Each structure stands twice: as structure tokens, then as C-alpha cells.
Amino acid sequence: MFHRRKGSGPAVVLLHGFASSSLFWSGLMDSLQADFDLIAPDWPGFGAAGRQPPYRRLQDFASGLFGLADELGLERMHVVGHSMSGFVVQELLCRHPDRLDRVVLYGAGLSVNRGRRFETVAQTLQGLRAEGVEAAARKVVDSWFADAERSTAARAACLEAAAGMSAEGAAAAIEATQDADYTDKLRSCATPALVLSGEAERSHPPASALELYRALGNAHLCILPLCGHAAHLERPLWFEAVLREFLAG
């Protein structure tokens, strides 16, 4: 699996979400490389892996991640899953907690709540088919920020990360996650978890983050002010401080 790697120390795998890629994490990797071994893969159908056949089930994402971990010789790791990859992290918690040290569910929820999301999944799919991948990615990314006027550079970075997404990869990711629901599946998970969200989050709003936090067996909750779905780009110092503190135990 294509991946970017930087730094040294405890292994932290950074998993991007929909309309994104490993480039989403570039600034965070620069900031944390002195303390952590940071590994950011591109899911097939996204980023540098945009031409590869995509995964179609959450189990495939989990298996692909552990295939990469085995290739890199990682027996255990921290995992940060953003947005769509929050479901991948929940799949890992259910199936392979023995491989996980600590996990961060960032901009994530137990399911895709159609009443809370900035638009329905059907509308995202319709836009993808009618307007194409680039237009659909722009619409999704434009929903990620609390203050659009102050987030010009962050938006540009997100659009750059989204550039490699294929139409097949986008549709497959939606198919894999649209009916995901981990309600009542996580209570026995003992893995330390952090649910991290922005107060202006529109994909999985704070109410969804609170539900996810309550569903986990060993979790903490952090809602960062003045940011949305790309909190590590809007408020990097706050995000990094919280992440460092949690991963340090």
C-alpha cells in the first residue's frame, strides 16, 4: 500500500477520510516527527493510489491496514482515523484490539446520521455522478471549516489532498460506510480511545461525537472550539497539544 512515513518513536498510523489522502496529514507529520514514527497510507482509489481498485467493505480496509503494518514490522501501533476512517478504527477495535495501543476517532461517529450530516449520502452520490469527482470533492471540503475566510490555506491543502480520488474509489467508500453502525458493539473495548471533534463539525457533529464517546468502554472526549472537520488545520496548536497528551498516556 502506498504510504508516506516520517519521524521516529512510537508508531502512529494516520488514516485519511473521504475526499482526501495522506497529504491531508502533511503539516501534522512535520510537527510531530521528532516524537513519533508517523505512517500515512493512501487508501486504494485515493491520492497516489487513485488508480488502484478500491476497497468495498470496512473489513477490506482493516485487512489492508494490517497488511501494511505487517510489511513494516509493526506489531502494535497507535491509530488516528479521520471521518470515514473513524469507521475503520471501530472495525479494528471490534476485530483486532490486540494490535492497537491507543486510538483517536477524529471527526467520526457510530454511523452516518442522515439527519445531522451537511447533506445526505444520496446527495453526495448524486453530485458525484452528475458533476464529477472534482466538483463533489470541492463541495465536501467546503463544508469542513468553521470560518471559511480564515481557512483559505487549509482549504487549498484539503483540495490538494483530495485531487487523486477516483470516481470508483469515492463511490466504493460511500458504499462501504453508508450503512455502518457500531452502536452497542464497542462497550467491551478496553483500548484507550479519544473522540476528537470540532464544535462546528458538520459531517459528524458534536452530538454524534458524544454518542460515540458514550458507546466506547475506555474513552475520552474533546470538542475543540472555533473549528470544524479539519480541526488540525484550522487550530493546529490546540489539536497537536491534545493529540500529544493523549498518545503520551
Side-chain angles (χ1 to χ4, degrees):
M1 183 186 297
F2 177 87
H3 63 279
R4 306 177 195 277
R5 190 173 191 177
K6 183 174 285 189
S8 60
V12 181
V13 180
L14 303 168
L15 303 177
H16 69 82
F18 185 78
S20 195
S21 70
S22 57
L23 290 176
F24 185 67
W25 304 111
S26 295
L28 186 67
M29 293 176 77
D30 288 341
S31 297
L32 300 182
Q33 63 179 315
D35 301 306
F36 299 100
D37 176 13
L38 300 151
I39 300 139
D42 282 351
W43 295 124
F46 294 84
R51 296 188 178 184
Q52 295 179 7
Y55 296 145
R56 299 188 178 278
R57 304 178 307 158
L58 286 168
Q59 299 96 309
D60 298 332
F61 285 86
S63 296
L65 173 60
F66 283 122
L68 175 62
D70 291 342
E71 178 185 328
L72 299 178
L74 303 179
E75 294 185 7
R76 293 178 63 86
M77 68 203 101
H78 302 303
V79 180
V80 179
H82 179 246
S83 191
M84 172 188 83
S85 284
F87 294 124
V88 180
V89 173
Q90 291 173 77
E91 185 71 14
L92 301 178
L93 286 169
C94 291
R95 292 178 177 267
H96 303 284
D98 56 304
R99 301 286 300 270
L100 304 173
D101 284 324
R102 290 174 170 255
V103 300
V104 180
L105 300 112
Y106 166 29
L110 288 165
S111 63
V112 178
N113 189 304
R114 291 159 176 78
R116 293 173 181 166
R117 192 170 183 267
F118 70 96
E119 66 177 9
T120 67
V121 171
Q123 287 172 324
T124 302
L125 275 172
Q126 182 179 7
L128 183 67
R129 293 165 182 153
E131 302 171 11
V133 177
E134 291 185 13
R138 283 196 301 272
K139 185 176 183 180
V140 169
V141 168
D142 283 345
S143 73
W144 287 1
F145 304 101
D147 187 340
E149 292 185 2
R150 291 190 57 187
S151 303
T152 303
R155 178 180 181 273
C158 289
L159 289 175
E160 181 183 7
M165 181 174 68
S166 69
E168 185 183 9
I174 292 172
E175 177 185 336
T177 59
Q178 64 180 339
D179 295 322
D181 189 348
Y182 288 87
T183 305
D184 300 325
K185 295 180 181 179
L186 303 171
R187 179 56 59 187
S188 63
C189 295
T191 304
L194 172 66
V195 178
L196 183 55
S197 182
E199 67 175 354
E201 168 73 50
R202 296 178 63 201
S203 296
H204 295 281
S208 296
L210 181 60
E211 290 170 356
L212 176 56
Y213 157 70
R214 288 173 171 166
L216 287 157
N218 183 15
H220 302 278
L221 173 66
C222 178
I223 306 295
L224 291 173
L226 306 175
C227 55
H229 199 54
H232 74 289
L233 295 174
E234 283 193 279
R235 301 291 168 178
L237 296 181
W238 293 350
F239 185 96
E240 291 163 18
V242 171
L243 185 62
R244 285 179 186 275
E245 183 76 13
F246 175 70
L247 293 181

